[in-house]
């Protein structure tokens, strides 16, 4: 697979087959992604990979806590700025509307939207769940490094015929996840990531998200 094919075919997959992914494949992806760049070569990424059995135990634990804590435990960081300015606000809104449209859920049907959102906490049925942590003693440049590692994982997954979905949604369950994976206190959960084989028949996977045209964000200066 060409890099351009991996980039073009990566999408946020929100429905998976139960087909298992061998641990050796997960290991090979996370290992190859070590070549991701980072400022000063700090490599500030930390990842926990959960296979089907531990994953189902974690999912059951979160499901049991959901009724008492429908909003989770509170995120350690703001997933979005409190006042999201334009054009980001509209993009976020449209992305949500387009996603719910694929499964025929109107804006008024808050319950159906909540239930779909809760699928985050089942890794959308994926057989593998990854948790990405950053050392809380580092700053924004190192968070960007973690993002580079995550994108490298997502592209390498494509090469294996696998799909992914990065999931900041998991940040609100950081206490439960930290305890479950045994993360040391200096690490902060940034995001989860579902990994598995895409369910080709699932309507939600038909979503093709917009992108602003190049002219909106790139300036070419010089000849
Ligand atoms: C760091 C990060 C966190 C994300 N968190 C979630 C999430 O919690 N749940 C979800 O369904 N999608 C999540 N997404 C997916 C984005 O909504 C998606 O990348 C965006 O809408 C563009 O669509 P695409 O990935 O299909 O190209 C996340 C993406 C990134 C990069």
């Amino acid at each position: 697979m060409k890099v351009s094919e991996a980039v073009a075919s990566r999408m946020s997959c929100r429905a998976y087959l139960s087909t298992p992914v061998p641990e050796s494949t997960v290991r090979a992806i996370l290992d190859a992604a070590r070549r991701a760049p980072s400022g000063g070569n700090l490599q500030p990424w930390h990842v926990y990979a959960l296979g089907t059995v531990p994953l189902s135990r974690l999912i059951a634990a979160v499901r049991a806590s959901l009724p008492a804590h429908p909003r989770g435990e509170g995120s350690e960081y703001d997933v979005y700025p409190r006042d999201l300015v334009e054009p980001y606000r509209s993009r976020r809104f449209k992305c949500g509307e387009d996603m719910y449209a694929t499964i025929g859920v109107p804006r008024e049907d808050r319950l159906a939207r909540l239930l779909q959102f809760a699928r985050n906490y089942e890794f959308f049925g994926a057989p593998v769940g990854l948790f990405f942590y950053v050392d809380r003693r580092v700053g924004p440049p190192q968070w960007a490094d973690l993002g580079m590692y995550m994108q490298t994982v997502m592209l390498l997954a494509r090469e294996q015929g696998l799909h992914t979905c990065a999931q900041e949604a998991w940040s609100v369950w950081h206490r439960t996840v930290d305890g479950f994976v045994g993360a040391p206190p200096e690490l902060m959960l940034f995001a989860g990531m579902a990994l598995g084989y895409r369910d080709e028949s699932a309507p939600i996977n038909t979503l093709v998200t917009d992108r602003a045209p190049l002219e909106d964000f790139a300036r070419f200066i010089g000849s």
Side-chain angles (χ1 to χ4, degrees):
M1 180 179 268
K2 285 165 44 178
V3 177
S4 56
E5 290 166 349
V7 171
S9 65
R10 187 216 55 80
M11 45 74 77
S12 292
C13 176
R14 297 186 178 91
Y16 293 84
L17 302 177
S18 56
T19 314
V21 178
E23 189 192 310
S24 56
T25 305
V26 181
R27 197 174 272 276
I29 291 170
L30 297 181
D31 190 39
R34 288 184 301 127
R35 298 309 305 175
S38 55
N41 203 20
L42 261 63
Q43 306 159 67
W45 40 73
H46 299 264
V47 54
Y48 295 88
L50 274 59
T52 314
V53 174
L55 203 57
S56 56
R57 279 201 289 122
L58 174 65
I59 289 169
V62 170
R63 191 179 293 139
S65 298
L66 259 174
H69 307 280
R71 290 173 186 276
E73 299 154 342
S75 182
E76 289 204 90
Y77 66 92
D78 287 334
V79 171
Y80 300 106
R82 275 156 219 255
D83 292 311
L84 193 58
V85 297
E86 294 296 348
Y88 314 116
R89 189 184 169 85
S90 298
R91 289 178 186 165
R92 183 185 175 201
F93 180 82
K94 181 158 192 308
C95 163
E97 292 305 299
D98 289 352
M99 188 189 79
Y100 290 114
T102 65
I103 50 172
V105 171
R107 193 151 182 73
E108 316 75 73
D109 197 344
R110 292 200 56 198
L111 178 63
R113 286 188 172 219
L114 267 175
L115 287 174
Q116 171 56 39
F117 183 77
R119 295 277 295 147
N120 268 291
Y121 305 118
E122 296 169 351
F123 280 100
F124 304 112
V128 176
L130 305 174
F131 287 108
F132 293 88
Y133 280 79
V134 66
D135 194 308
R136 59 179 79 241
R137 297 165 297 186
V138 301
Q142 288 74 46
W143 283 63
D145 295 338
L146 173 60
M148 294 197 205
Y149 180 79
M150 291 174 66
Q151 169 72 338
T152 307
V153 167
M154 293 194 275
L155 297 181
L156 288 164
R158 289 303 304 119
E159 197 183 55
Q160 301 285 341
L162 295 162
H163 276 89
T164 51
C165 185
Q167 296 181 266
E168 281 158 340
W170 276 102
S171 62
V172 303
W173 287 104
H174 63 95
R175 270 194 213 103
T176 300
V177 176
D178 292 352
F180 193 87
V181 301
E186 65 271 20
L187 295 189
M188 188 194 295
L189 177 62
F190 169 49
M193 186 185 289
L195 173 73
Y197 292 98
R198 181 166 67 180
D199 180 349
E200 301 296 342
S201 69
I204 201 154
N205 284 339
T206 61
L207 174 65
V208 179
T209 48
D210 291 342
R211 291 296 188 274
L214 184 63
E215 300 70 44
D216 280 16
F217 64 91
R219 299 284 175 274
F220 295 88
I221 301 163
S223 53

